[in-house]
Amino acid sequence: MLRREPSPRALHGVYLSGANRRGESQGGDTMTIRTFVTIASVAGAAAALAVIVPVRAGGDKVAFPENHAAGVLFTTVDRADNKQFREFYTSAAALDAAKKGEPLPSGTVITMLQYAAKLDAQGNPEKDANGRFIKGNLIGYAVMEKRAGWGAEYPDNVRNGEWEYQALKADKSVNTGANLSACFNCHKPLDKQDYVYLYDKMKTAAK
């Protein structure tokens, strides 16, 4: 059962009774009561603020990875459905962890560069001598980043471990039209491979 806190009036009576027993002045007790009420008010305001202020979560945590090209280009993907050629970069440390079958370390960033595939006169992607799409103009980036403690704000049916996602335009500005919730939904079933679709590619990539 919750204990009901005494009112300031009741507290005043308690303090006065104590003062009379100790021979202390009423003025001193009034200051004590005021101090108690002030502390209680501040504590109450802080608690209310904790409820009102939303916990920071989302793609705004993820900064553009300026040094992604200094990492490892571990695979490329042809996407016939949207006529894109994609490159994927990450760190050597992430690849080492994947090769051991371990979760990727905190600080891992996986950067996807999206290029429009070069098209022929009929609007179909052209292919190189290896049968792969030929990349045209850069059209955007998608980034997933993992940091210790991230993700705690999300309910279990949404959370992707400690990963956050962000989508950016070719000029590196945030793509505000991107649906980041779709990233969480898409990667959610992959908890056994640290929520990473290309985990197996990382395991076999040359560094």
Side-chain angles (χ1 to χ4, degrees), residues 88-142:
F88 292 84
Y89 291 83
T90 195
S91 64
L95 298 181
D96 286 339
K99 291 178 189 301
K100 298 174 184 176
E102 299 174 351
L104 306 186
S106 175
T108 293
V109 178
I110 301 174
T111 307
M112 176 176 71
L113 279 65
Q114 301 163 282
Y115 295 89
K118 188 176 179 182
L119 306 179
D120 61 21
Q122 288 72 44
N124 299 313
E126 293 185 8
K127 297 181 180 180
D128 62 18
N130 297 315
R132 301 295 308 280
F133 287 2
I134 301 171
K135 67 181 182 183
N137 296 329
L138 177 67
I139 58 177
Y141 303 85

Side-chain angles (χ1 to χ4, degrees), residues 6-154:
S7 66
R9 182 182 297 276
L11 286 170
H12 195 196
V14 171
Y15 279 113
L16 284 178
S17 298
N20 291 338
R21 286 197 299 271
R22 295 189 302 270
E24 296 171 358
S25 69
Q26 182 173 335
D29 284 309
T30 302
M31 181 166 293
T32 302
I33 294 167
R34 286 174 180 168
T35 302
F36 178 88
V37 172
T38 300
I39 293 172
S41 299
V42 171
L49 213 62
V51 173
I52 295 171
V53 176
V55 179
R56 182 169 172 258
D60 62 319
K61 288 183 177 180
V62 180
F64 179 79
E66 295 286 356
N67 63 342
H68 67 272
V72 181
L73 172 61
F74 67 91
T75 194
T76 61
V77 173
D78 295 344
R79 286 290 298 268
D81 59 327
N82 54 18
K83 300 178 181 179
Q84 287 186 11
F85 174 83
R86 296 178 171 181
E87 295 177 337
F88 292 84
Y89 291 83
T90 195
S91 64
L95 298 181
D96 286 339
K99 291 178 189 301
K100 298 174 184 176
E102 299 174 351
L104 306 186
S106 175
T108 293
V109 178
I110 301 174
T111 307
M112 176 176 71
L113 279 65
Q114 301 163 282
Y115 295 89
K118 188 176 179 182
L119 306 179
D120 61 21
Q122 288 72 44
N124 299 313
E126 293 185 8
K127 297 181 180 180
D128 62 18
N130 297 315
R132 301 295 308 280
F133 287 2
I134 301 171
K135 67 181 182 183
N137 296 329
L138 177 67
I139 58 177
Y141 303 85
V143 182
M144 56 187 296
E145 182 172 349
K146 181 181 184 181
R147 297 283 174 183
W150 282 11
E153 305 90 344
Y154 298 106

